[in-house]
Amino acid sequence: MSIKQLFPLLLICIALAATATDAAVTCNTVYSNLEPCLGFVLNGGPTVPSACCSGLKSLLVAAGTTADRQSACKCIKSLASSANGVQIGRASQLPGICKANVPYQISPNVDCSKIT
Protein backbone atom coordinates (compact mmCIF):
# COMPACT_ATOMS: atom_id res chain seq x y z
CA MET A 1 0.00 0.00 0.00
CA SER A 2 1.47 3.33 -1.04
CA ILE A 3 1.17 6.78 0.46
CA LYS A 4 -1.29 7.64 -2.33
CA GLN A 5 -3.47 4.73 -1.27
CA LEU A 6 -3.37 5.91 2.35
CA PHE A 7 -4.42 9.48 1.52
CA PRO A 8 -8.18 8.73 1.50
CA LEU A 9 -7.75 7.07 4.88
CA LEU A 10 -6.05 10.17 6.22
CA LEU A 11 -9.08 12.19 5.16
CA ILE A 12 -11.28 9.77 7.08
CA CYS A 13 -9.00 10.18 10.10
CA ILE A 14 -9.33 13.94 9.90
CA ALA A 15 -13.10 13.62 9.80
CA LEU A 16 -13.08 11.25 12.78
CA ALA A 17 -10.84 13.55 14.76
CA ALA A 18 -13.14 16.48 14.05
CA THR A 19 -15.94 14.64 15.87
CA ALA A 20 -13.90 14.48 19.06
CA THR A 21 -14.01 18.17 19.87
CA ASP A 22 -12.30 17.89 23.23
CA ALA A 23 -9.40 15.85 21.89
CA ALA A 24 -6.15 17.61 21.11
CA VAL A 25 -4.76 14.66 19.15
CA THR A 26 -5.93 14.71 15.54
CA CYS A 27 -5.38 12.25 12.73
CA ASN A 28 -2.82 14.68 11.36
CA THR A 29 -0.92 14.31 14.64
CA VAL A 30 -1.19 10.52 14.47
CA TYR A 31 -0.06 10.39 10.85
CA SER A 32 2.85 12.79 11.40
CA ASN A 33 4.12 10.76 14.33
CA LEU A 34 3.66 7.35 12.72
CA GLU A 35 4.74 8.19 9.16
CA PRO A 36 8.28 6.85 9.80
CA CYS A 37 6.67 3.47 10.59
CA LEU A 38 4.94 3.09 7.21
CA GLY A 39 7.87 1.48 5.42
CA PHE A 40 8.15 -1.24 8.06
CA VAL A 41 4.38 -1.82 8.31
CA LEU A 42 3.86 -1.94 4.54
CA ASN A 43 7.01 -3.80 3.46
CA GLY A 44 8.60 -5.33 6.54
CA GLY A 45 12.30 -5.29 7.02
CA PRO A 46 14.99 -6.38 9.43
CA THR A 47 14.61 -3.39 11.77
CA VAL A 48 12.14 -0.70 12.75
CA PRO A 49 13.53 2.81 12.16
CA SER A 50 14.37 4.67 15.35
CA ALA A 51 12.25 7.58 14.06
CA CYS A 52 9.25 5.22 14.12
CA CYS A 53 9.75 4.41 17.79
CA SER A 54 10.35 8.07 18.61
CA GLY A 55 7.15 9.01 16.79
CA LEU A 56 5.14 6.32 18.55
CA LYS A 57 6.40 7.44 21.94
CA SER A 58 5.73 11.10 21.08
CA LEU A 59 2.18 10.20 20.12
CA LEU A 60 1.66 8.42 23.43
CA VAL A 61 2.89 11.49 25.31
CA ALA A 62 0.62 13.76 23.25
CA ALA A 63 -2.37 11.51 23.93
CA GLY A 64 -2.53 12.46 27.59
CA THR A 65 -6.29 12.40 28.12
CA THR A 66 -8.98 9.80 27.52
CA ALA A 67 -10.36 11.89 24.64
CA ASP A 68 -6.88 12.08 23.08
CA ARG A 69 -6.32 8.32 23.40
CA GLN A 70 -9.74 7.57 21.91
CA SER A 71 -9.11 9.99 19.05
CA ALA A 72 -5.73 8.43 18.27
CA CYS A 73 -7.29 4.98 18.46
CA LYS A 74 -9.97 5.94 15.93
CA CYS A 75 -7.35 7.19 13.52
CA ILE A 76 -5.22 4.06 13.86
CA LYS A 77 -8.32 1.87 13.59
CA SER A 78 -9.22 3.59 10.32
CA LEU A 79 -5.76 2.94 8.92
CA ALA A 80 -5.86 -0.67 10.12
CA SER A 81 -9.22 -1.25 8.42
CA SER A 82 -7.55 -0.99 5.02
CA ALA A 83 -4.44 -2.99 5.88
CA ASN A 84 -4.00 -6.69 5.22
CA GLY A 85 -3.33 -9.23 7.96
CA VAL A 86 0.44 -9.19 7.48
CA GLN A 87 0.54 -5.40 7.75
CA ILE A 88 -1.64 -5.42 10.87
CA GLY A 89 0.69 -8.04 12.33
CA ARG A 90 3.70 -5.80 11.70
CA ALA A 91 1.91 -2.77 13.14
CA SER A 92 0.95 -4.80 16.22
CA GLN A 93 4.63 -5.60 16.80
CA LEU A 94 5.63 -1.94 17.01
CA PRO A 95 4.70 -1.32 20.68
CA GLY A 96 6.82 -4.28 21.79
CA ILE A 97 9.73 -3.49 19.50
CA CYS A 98 9.66 0.16 20.54
CA LYS A 99 9.06 -0.63 24.22
CA ALA A 100 5.99 1.61 24.16
CA ASN A 101 2.83 0.92 26.17
CA VAL A 102 -0.01 1.44 23.69
CA PRO A 103 -3.23 1.13 25.74
CA TYR A 104 -5.18 -0.69 23.01
CA GLN A 105 -4.75 -3.36 20.37
CA ILE A 106 -3.81 -2.17 16.88
CA SER A 107 -6.70 -3.71 15.00
CA PRO A 108 -9.60 -2.77 12.75
CA ASN A 109 -11.84 -4.35 15.40
CA VAL A 110 -10.73 -2.42 18.49
CA ASP A 111 -13.51 -0.62 20.41
CA CYS A 112 -12.00 2.81 20.90
CA SER A 113 -14.87 3.92 23.14
CA LYS A 114 -13.62 1.54 25.87
CA ILE A 115 -10.23 3.22 26.13
CA THR A 116 -9.75 5.27 29.28
Side-chain angles (χ1 to χ4, degrees):
M1 183 175 294
S2 71
I3 297 291
K4 284 184 178 182
Q5 291 169 314
L6 290 176
F7 185 73
L9 296 173
L10 293 175
L11 294 177
I12 292 168
C13 289
I14 292 166
L16 286 172
T19 63
T21 56
D22 54 345
V25 173
T26 66
C27 286
N28 284 339
T29 305
V30 172
Y31 179 72
S32 294
N33 280 282
L34 298 182
E35 192 274 331
C37 304
L38 279 178
F40 176 79
V41 171
L42 297 176
N43 305 312
T47 61
V48 172
S50 61
C52 170
C53 291
S54 297
L56 179 59
K57 290 175 183 177
S58 292
L59 177 60
L60 292 172
V61 169
T65 67
T66 297
D68 290 336
R69 288 186 287 277
Q70 289 178 348
S71 178
C73 174
K74 289 174 186 175
C75 298
I76 292 170
K77 179 178 179 175
S78 266
L79 291 171
S81 70
S82 68
N84 64 40
V86 172
Q87 293 165 338
I88 291 170
R90 288 184 197 126
S92 296
Q93 293 174 5
L94 292 175
I97 292 169
C98 294
K99 297 180 174 68
N101 185 22
V102 177
Y104 47 85
Q105 181 182 10
I106 297 174
S107 163
N109 302 315
V110 65
D111 184 352
C112 297
S113 69
K114 293 185 177 178
I115 295 167
T116 58

